[in-house]
Amino acid sequence: MIKTYDVVIVGAGGAGLRAAVEIPKEYSCAVISKVYPPRSHTGTAQGGVCAALSNMEEDSWENHAFDTVKGSDYLGDQDSIEVMCRDAIRAIIELEHMGMPFSRNDKGLIAQRFFGGHTKPEDKNDPYGKRVPVKRSCYSADRTGHVMLQTLFENSIKNQVTFYSEYFVTDLLVENGVCKGVVAFDIANSEVQIFQAKAVLFATGGYGRVFRITSNAHAGTGDGSSLVYNAGLPLEDMEFFQFHPTGLWKLGILVSEAARGEGGILKNKDGERFMARYAPSVMDLAPRDMVSRAIITEIREGRGIRGSDGTDYVLLDLTHLGKEVIDEKLPEITGFARTYLGVEPTTEPIPIQPTAHYAMGGIPTNTDCEVLLNEKGDTVKGLYAAGECACVSVHGANRLGTNSLLDLVVFGRRGGKAIAEFLKTAAFSDISEKADEKTRELIDRLLTSAGNERAVSIRTELQNNMMEDCGVFRSEAGLKKMIVKLEELKERYKNISIQDKSRVFNTELVEAIELNNLLNNAEATLYGAYNRTESRGAHSREDYPKRDDQDWMKHSFAFKKDSGAPEIKYKPVVITRYQPMERKY
Ligand SMILES: Cc1cc2nc3c(=O)[nH]c(=O)nc-3n(C[C@H](O)[C@H](O)[C@H](O)COP(=O)(O)OP(=O)(O)OC[C@H]3O[C@@H](n4cnc5c(N)ncnc54)[C@H](O)[C@@H]3O)c2cc1C
């Protein structure tokens, strides 16, 4: 039987739920999520969500927009960035009115703190002169994503959304540029279900699980981007993947940038505050791409600290902040350091290393979250995307801290609004009763295959090699090596089998399907990285260390081919008021 809804939203993180809140009650709306909604990765976000509220000091949305453009290494589309930064202030007040419990300053206003790359001009009359850090990130201690997700979950229940929790979406039904719905299976019993919809919004999050060390939840396997890519639609700017400088050593669990926002300092083995050499004006508050490169450089040049397992780290020192500040403002992340590394952050520095964190690239959309059919800007009718899986592009080549939670609420809402408008005239497209055949076959094949490959070994090799050859630093030789490896893994994937043959909560089945999605995301990332012969933002080519605005001020659009490399086309960057400059901090 086909289930029919006016709108189907895939993903119950911040972006999906913010969109769900916006759908008028007269339309039926289903939210499908492979995890129970409040377990979405948004719930782990720690540090904050930014807007130029000026609650702590004078600020403006134009300051925020300039920082975002510069942070993006001039690859972000400036029209989209202006939309986001201008709307940020309203979006935060709206969250407050929905019931989100923000931390407060002593005037009772929403408190704000420093975050990397968020600055303002030292002299107001010289907007492009020297810039100093500004307190722009609103927060709830270091559990900002948790309270945001709970707030949006409650509000979407109030809005009478129907939830399909622990349903796994396996197919996107797009034909001749029109979206008709999706296919999913219920993880509890593996029953396959067709969802017919006038509009579908993908809010499926990131794909950090492509890398060995990552801050991302296990569910961060890029399913949405993979399904779009498989449907013949492009993925944009996939070569730009952000490594967050401070993951707990070996584990990758995030230590929010809020730790440095509150005054934490990075040190090498000699106790030197090394960021002074790399970003003299903002030091530890430089953007993430720069800090991650600085850490790896320190380690490569022998100034890291060698751990018992032979891997290296540097130190994040919070000891001078005092127990009171740590307990009030950074309770969660310091708890992680105690629990997982046995380190007491009030008296000892925390061992950290860069961790794969955020996908700047993804499913290309316009500012109304309509998914693009091609690099010319044509759109797919009835298909929308928002949040980390989407690429609007506001983050360009490198995202600033706390701009993602903002992206979720600004573009989640815009997507919801655009869908509500579309529904006024939209009709259902015909859908075949057999639209679920591909998924049924996939599940049957995996459950009965006698192949000799295991998902876990392919995944481990993928993650180790991507970390090594397509991580913070990249080079032609490493990327070529990785391409050979990826093609081998794709071949081996065809021969996988799973040991658990049951249809009840078969997590091995889920992981096998997720692995194919990881391979797709890795493919677009890797070939994009190989293709782009410059260094910009998070994409750092050792053999092409300079940014090349002459040839590369453009977005890449990767289209999947039957085998081997994707076809890559280009779309120009939108520039409104900020001309590219050298990026120095
Ligand atoms: C540890 C950590 C800390 C962070 N801290 C901050 C911060 O302080 N500030 C900030 O701005 N950003 C932060 N970020 C980034 C930000 O949290 C994420 O980019 C953002 O939350 C992603 O939200 P989303 O709604 O796009 O997707 P997610 O919250 O990742 O949700 C994805 C949803 O899609 C569903 N889904 C995926 N695939 C399928 C499928 N096949 N079938 C059905 N459902 C599916 C999942 O079940 C889930 O509900 C942090 C990220 C991490 C990992």
Side-chain angles (χ1 to χ4, degrees):
M1 207 185 70
I2 298 177
K3 285 195 193 299
T4 300
Y5 288 90
D6 292 311
V7 193
V8 165
I9 294 172
V10 185
L17 294 184
R18 182 61 195 84
V21 170
E22 206 58 37
I23 305 297
K25 279 207 189 85
E26 71 247 41
Y27 298 114
S28 56
C29 174
V31 175
I32 308 177
S33 175
K34 68 177 177 178
V35 302
Y36 186 62
R39 287 185 166 267
S40 302
H41 191 65
T42 299
T44 69
Q46 303 168 347
V49 49
C50 58
L53 297 181
S54 303
N55 284 357
M56 316 293 282
E57 55 184 309
E58 201 183 324
D59 196 5
S60 70
W61 75 262
E62 289 92 342
N63 286 341
H64 185 184
F66 173 71
D67 287 339
T68 303
V69 171
K70 182 176 171 190
S72 82
D73 221 347
Y74 295 91
L75 191 75
D77 284 328
Q78 298 184 10
D79 53 346
S80 317
I81 291 173
E82 287 186 28
V83 164
M84 181 175 81
C85 297
R86 200 194 289 251
D87 194 35
I89 298 163
R90 189 207 53 75
I92 298 295
I93 311 270
E94 178 184 71
L95 284 169
E96 185 186 35
H97 291 180
M98 282 186 189
M100 179 162 159
F102 284 103
S103 294
R104 301 278 155 178
N105 67 11
D106 44 16
K107 292 193 209 107
L109 302 171
I110 293 173
Q112 298 183 276
R113 62 176 155 218
F114 292 127
F115 246 82
H118 289 283
T119 63
K120 64 177 185 181
E122 193 171 49
D123 173 1
K124 244 187 5 191
N125 301 319
D126 181 15
Y128 301 113
K130 183 171 183 234
R131 294 178 78 91
V132 290
V134 65
K135 290 186 173 171
R136 185 179 290 149
S137 297
C138 313
Y139 59 94
S140 297
D142 56 356
R143 302 188 178 102
T144 314
H146 175 78
V147 301
M148 176 186 276
L149 191 62
Q150 296 293 335
T151 306
L152 292 172
F153 186 44
E154 287 161 10
N155 280 274
S156 36
I157 290 170
K158 186 166 125 196
N159 201 30
Q160 294 168 9
V161 166
T162 308
F163 282 96
Y164 287 87
S165 295
E166 299 184 324
Y167 271 66
F168 193 107
V169 173
T170 43
D171 208 2
L172 165 64
L173 304 173
V174 172
E175 235 175 73
N176 302 325
V178 179
C179 177
K180 304 175 162 191
V182 297
V183 180
F185 71 93
D186 183 348
I187 298 174
N189 55 23
S190 302
E191 269 176 30
V192 178
Q193 179 65 58
I194 302 171
F195 289 87
Q196 182 183 27
K198 293 175 188 163
V200 171
L201 180 126
F202 268 34
T204 47
Y207 65 96
R209 286 279 149 188
V210 156
F211 299 94
R212 176 167 50 94
I213 302 283
T214 176
S215 67
N216 283 196
H218 283 278
T221 51
D223 302 352
S225 34
S226 169
L227 293 179
V228 161
Y229 190 51
N230 274 343
L233 302 172
L235 293 179
E236 181 175 356
D237 290 342
M238 292 290 280
E239 58 271 36
F240 298 100
F241 199 96
Q242 176 170 81
F243 278 73
H244 191 296
T246 58
L248 285 186
W249 170 56
K250 287 190 292 195
L251 303 164
I253 295 173
L254 193 74
V255 180
S256 169
E257 203 173 309
R260 280 170 288 136
E262 296 294 348
I265 288 171
L266 291 166
K267 291 181 175 169
N268 61 19
K269 80 165 197 269
D270 306 319
E272 182 204 4
R273 184 178 193 178
F274 57 86
M275 280 313 297
R277 274 188 276 117
Y278 298 90
S281 70
V282 291
M283 297 209 268
D284 301 277
L285 287 176
R288 292 176 177 172
D289 55 337
M290 292 188 167
V291 184
S292 288
R293 281 195 289 275
I295 293 173
I296 303 283
T297 306
E298 289 298 295
I299 290 175
R300 283 181 172 182
E301 293 178 359
R303 292 184 295 276
I305 298 145
R306 182 58 48 100
S308 49
D309 67 344
T311 63
D312 300 291
Y313 58 86
V314 297
L315 296 168
L316 174 64
D317 190 356
L318 307 180
T319 53
H320 54 286
L321 301 183
K323 189 168 175 343
E324 207 175 309
V325 171
I326 289 180
D327 288 348
E328 189 197 326
K329 296 195 167 154
L330 306 167
E332 184 125 321
I333 53 180
T334 44
F336 292 156
R338 283 182 201 111
T339 307
Y340 298 111
L341 292 182
V343 167
E344 176 45 59
T346 54
T347 55
E348 296 168 274
I350 308 171
I352 56 96
Q353 74 178 106
T355 183
H357 185 59
Y358 184 85
M360 269 75 70
I363 305 165
T365 72
N366 59 23
T367 50
D368 286 326
C369 306
E370 296 170 309
V371 171
L372 303 189
L373 187 62
N374 53 36
E375 73 290 354
K376 297 185 195 94
D378 299 324
T379 56
V380 184
K381 199 169 155 212
L383 184 61
Y384 299 78
E388 188 171 340
C389 72
C391 181
V392 186
S393 125
V394 280
H395 310 301
N398 174 63
R399 172 172 74 80
L400 292 188
T402 69
N403 258 348
S404 170
L405 291 185
L406 177 63
D407 172 354
L408 308 184
V409 290
V410 167
F411 290 101
R413 170 176 173 271
R414 290 180 74 87
K417 275 199 179 310
I419 289 174
E421 196 51 42
F422 173 72
L423 288 176
K424 287 184 183 161
T425 54
F428 286 106
S429 313
D430 287 341
I431 215 165
S432 149
E433 290 274 351
K434 291 188 181 158
D436 58 356
E437 237 164 32
K438 216 168 102 191
T439 298
R440 288 182 190 284
E441 277 168 21
L442 171 73
I443 293 176
D444 289 345
R445 181 160 45 82
L446 286 169
L447 287 178
T448 55
S449 159
N452 56 4
E453 290 288 351
R454 294 271 174 274
V456 60
S457 51
I458 297 180
R459 189 177 60 223
T460 310
E461 279 186 51
L462 175 74
Q463 293 169 332
N464 285 340
N465 286 281
M466 282 296 282
M467 195 77 197
E468 211 50 52
D469 292 322
C470 196
V472 172
F473 286 109
R474 297 154 174 192
S475 69
E476 182 175 331
L479 292 167
K480 263 192 177 152
K481 192 165 123 242
M482 185 63 224
I483 285 174
V484 173
K485 177 50 90 182
L486 179 77
E487 294 303 332
E488 172 207 312
L489 296 176
K490 277 159 59 183
E491 240 357 86
R492 281 170 53 192
Y493 181 82
K494 294 179 184 158
N495 206 16
I496 68 167
S497 67
I498 55 183
Q499 283 167 309
D500 181 355
K501 306 290 181 194
S502 121
R503 288 186 180 257
V504 176
F505 278 106
N506 190 337
T507 50
E508 203 189 351
L509 173 69
V510 169
E511 285 181 23
I513 298 173
E514 286 175 338
L515 174 58
N516 194 34
N517 294 331
L518 288 176
L519 290 167
N520 262 338
N521 282 283
E523 177 183 294
T525 304
L526 182 59
Y527 281 101
Y530 181 73
N531 192 47
R532 189 175 278 270
T533 48
E534 65 156 354
S535 289
R536 182 185 297 272
H539 172 66
S540 182
R541 286 279 303 249
E542 291 180 282
D543 41 355
Y544 297 94
K546 290 233 151 49
R547 191 176 83 194
D548 174 1
D549 289 342
Q550 192 71 34
D551 292 326
W552 287 107
M553 267 298 273
K554 55 190 179 187
H555 300 288
S556 19
F557 274 53
F559 294 81
K560 192 169 174 63
K561 293 279 132 195
D562 290 341
S563 65
E567 182 182 3
I568 297 183
K569 297 182 176 173
Y570 302 100
K571 179 168 171 267
V573 174
V574 180
I575 295 178
T576 55
R577 54 174 99 183
Y578 309 104
Q579 287 307 315
M581 289 192 273
E582 193 193 348
R583 191 161 156 254
K584 277 200 302 219
Y585 288 90

